[in-house]
Amino acid sequence: MKNPILFISALVLLFSACKPTAQIRVLQPADINLPAHVTTVAIVDRSKPSSGWANFGEGLFSGETVGQDKRCREQAAQALITQLTKTPRLTVKNTGIELEGSRNGSKMAEPMEWQKIEDICAEQGANLVLVIESLDSDVQHDPRKSENKKKDDKGKEFIETVFENSLEIGVKIGWRLYDPKQKVLLDEHTSESRSSKRRSHGKTAAEALRNLPDQSNMARDMAKAAGEKYGQRIAPTYVSLQRTYFKKAKGGFEDQMAQGQRFADSNQWDKAAGIWESVVKNAGGNQDAAGKAAYNIALSHEVRGDLEKAMEWAQKSYTDFGNKSAKEYVGTIRQRQNDVRKTAIQMNGKKV
């Protein structure tokens, strides 16, 4: 066997693909806690370089396409706004305000004056200002040329010239959160990301360059991802979690396990749990069936939002019946319980 690690990974994926899955929509806590008085945030783009010609010249030498950073700024701002409209914690105001900030986009300028922040809040009916302070993208190409000896059909040697190129993109964005009531920066954060290296070949240097992915699209996608991620950093947002569970069990419980899955597939988790509970009750010494059914019952409670019951059944699946998957699931539920407590604090009494 040439690569046993790849073979084992393929088996893991194969077996996991055989398990049914459930989707759970949850409110994920943010990375930081906002003060209770913050309810409405105004978005401002201050990432326009104050030195336009310097930035244009930098783009020529770095390989950026004309207007690439501007389009990235727009994409990051729109993604951020879209992300924040999904949170029940904040009301979002898209001000459309664009200001000049850092000299060339690579570093944040000095913080804005508080009077300007207060004016924006008064105009927008906001009590927090989120500012995109800087944005800079860079492009790295690595053109190469190689010559290889080859033979044609008649055995005659010739030199084959191959042109190669590679593309790697970086996007760096600076963010600040201004709280005018306390006159403090609640957050000052820089997000940096780099793409994986993309390679291409061609018969000419120009063809190798053309065969690379569109760098503007790559940069915009990275800016979009950064905007979404920053939205998740400052406010609780809804995300979908995927869980797998068991559809089979040894020892004559195949029909009941399958029936439970059918109820789960039709989102009748209470009925599914009832079927699985009968498996646990009648399993006798069948540890495999009891452990899998108990695991599924735990999941049914998580789907319905009862994390305490979910923990109880997950622990039972592991401690009473030795289901190894349940050990990891206990940790997952414990993390969810911590997230729920954290989210409740961040939501500041708002119902979700």
Side-chain angles (χ1 to χ4, degrees):
M1 187 178 295
K2 291 183 178 179
N3 195 327
I5 295 177
L6 287 178
F7 178 73
I8 293 171
S9 299
L11 284 178
V12 171
L13 289 173
L14 176 63
F15 287 124
S16 63
C18 293
K19 289 184 178 180
T21 59
Q23 297 289 333
I24 308 174
R25 189 168 181 261
V26 303
L27 191 60
Q28 191 82 0
D31 294 337
I32 63 175
N33 296 336
L34 297 179
H37 67 270
V38 170
T39 59
T40 305
V41 56
I43 310 297
V44 173
D45 182 2
R46 193 191 177 207
S47 61
K48 183 179 179 180
S50 60
S51 179
W53 282 107
N55 188 251
F56 178 75
E58 179 195 356
L60 290 177
F61 288 107
S62 68
E64 298 171 25
T65 59
V66 177
Q68 178 171 298
D69 280 359
K70 181 178 185 298
R71 290 188 290 271
C72 284
R73 292 200 306 272
E74 294 169 347
Q75 191 68 67
Q78 187 55 56
L80 171 67
I81 292 165
T82 300
Q83 186 67 33
L84 290 179
T85 58
K86 299 176 183 178
T87 178
R89 173 65 175 85
L90 295 171
T91 299
V92 185
K93 295 291 184 74
N94 181 10
T95 68
I97 297 174
E98 292 187 11
L99 304 172
E100 289 188 350
S102 61
R103 178 171 173 78
N104 59 9
S106 61
K107 293 182 180 180
M108 288 188 271
E110 290 297 310
M112 293 175 62
E113 295 181 359
W114 287 110
Q115 185 59 57
K116 180 63 176 177
I117 296 296
E118 291 172 356
D119 290 345
I120 292 172
C121 284
E123 293 168 4
Q124 301 295 325
N127 40 39
L128 182 72
V129 179
L130 195 168
V131 182
I132 305 175
E133 295 278 4
S134 62
L135 188 148
D136 185 49
S137 64
D138 68 87
V139 179
Q140 293 183 8
H141 285 289
D142 185 16
R144 297 186 181 188
K145 175 183 175 182
S146 61
E147 295 182 342
N148 304 310
K149 287 184 179 181
K150 289 201 169 184
K151 292 183 180 180
D152 60 20
D153 295 339
K154 298 180 180 180
K156 185 178 180 180
E157 285 192 350
F158 68 95
I159 301 297
E160 180 186 59
T161 302
V162 177
F163 293 87
E164 301 177 6
N165 209 328
S166 65
L167 170 65
E168 188 177 1
I169 294 177
V171 175
K172 181 179 179 181
I173 306 178
W175 317 81
R176 284 193 182 113
L177 274 181
Y178 294 80
D179 179 1
K181 182 177 181 179
Q182 303 180 98
K183 287 187 170 51
V184 295
L185 289 174
L186 297 179
D187 191 35
E188 186 174 70
H189 178 72
T190 300
S191 57
E192 296 186 65
S193 57
R194 296 205 70 81
S195 69
S196 58
K197 187 171 288 188
R198 310 294 181 87
R199 302 181 185 277
S200 68
H201 300 82
K203 295 180 180 179
T204 65
E207 183 181 28
L209 181 62
R210 286 195 305 270
N211 287 339
L212 287 169
D214 186 287
Q215 67 184 52
S216 294
N217 289 339
M218 287 178 61
R220 286 199 300 272
D221 287 345
M222 293 170 69
K224 177 183 178 182
E228 292 172 347
K229 190 171 182 180
Y230 192 74
Q232 294 171 348
R233 175 179 171 83
I234 67 169
T237 52
Y238 284 101
V239 297
S240 289
L241 305 178
Q242 182 171 289
R243 301 280 189 257
T244 61
Y245 59 101
F246 297 96
K247 65 179 180 180
K248 295 180 180 179
K250 299 175 182 178
F253 294 99
E254 290 82 359
D255 291 344
Q256 286 172 282
M257 293 294 286
Q259 186 182 18
Q261 182 194 343
R262 290 194 295 273
F263 279 125
D265 287 343
S266 58
N267 204 32
Q268 299 181 73
W269 287 95
D270 54 341
K271 292 183 178 180
I275 299 295
W276 293 324
E277 284 177 14
S278 71
V279 173
V280 174
K281 183 179 179 180
N282 299 310
N286 189 335
Q287 298 286 91
D288 177 74
K292 290 178 177 177
Y295 183 103
N296 289 0
I297 295 167
L299 174 61
S300 76
H301 285 295
E302 185 189 9
V303 170
R304 290 176 286 170
D306 191 340
L307 295 181
E308 186 175 341
K309 280 288 186 181
M311 176 64 81
E312 178 184 324
W313 277 97
Q315 289 175 332
K316 187 179 184 69
S317 175
Y318 177 64
T319 58
D320 292 10
F321 307 119
N323 187 289
K324 294 181 180 179
S325 297
K327 181 179 182 181
E328 182 178 348
Y329 192 31
V330 166
T332 299
I333 297 172
R334 184 171 290 114
Q335 182 60 54
R336 283 234 34 225
Q337 290 175 323
N338 292 336
D339 287 347
V340 167
R341 286 190 286 268
K342 187 175 179 181
T343 301
I345 294 171
Q346 294 177 353
M347 288 301 295
N348 192 32
K350 282 191 174 183
K351 292 183 179 181
V352 297

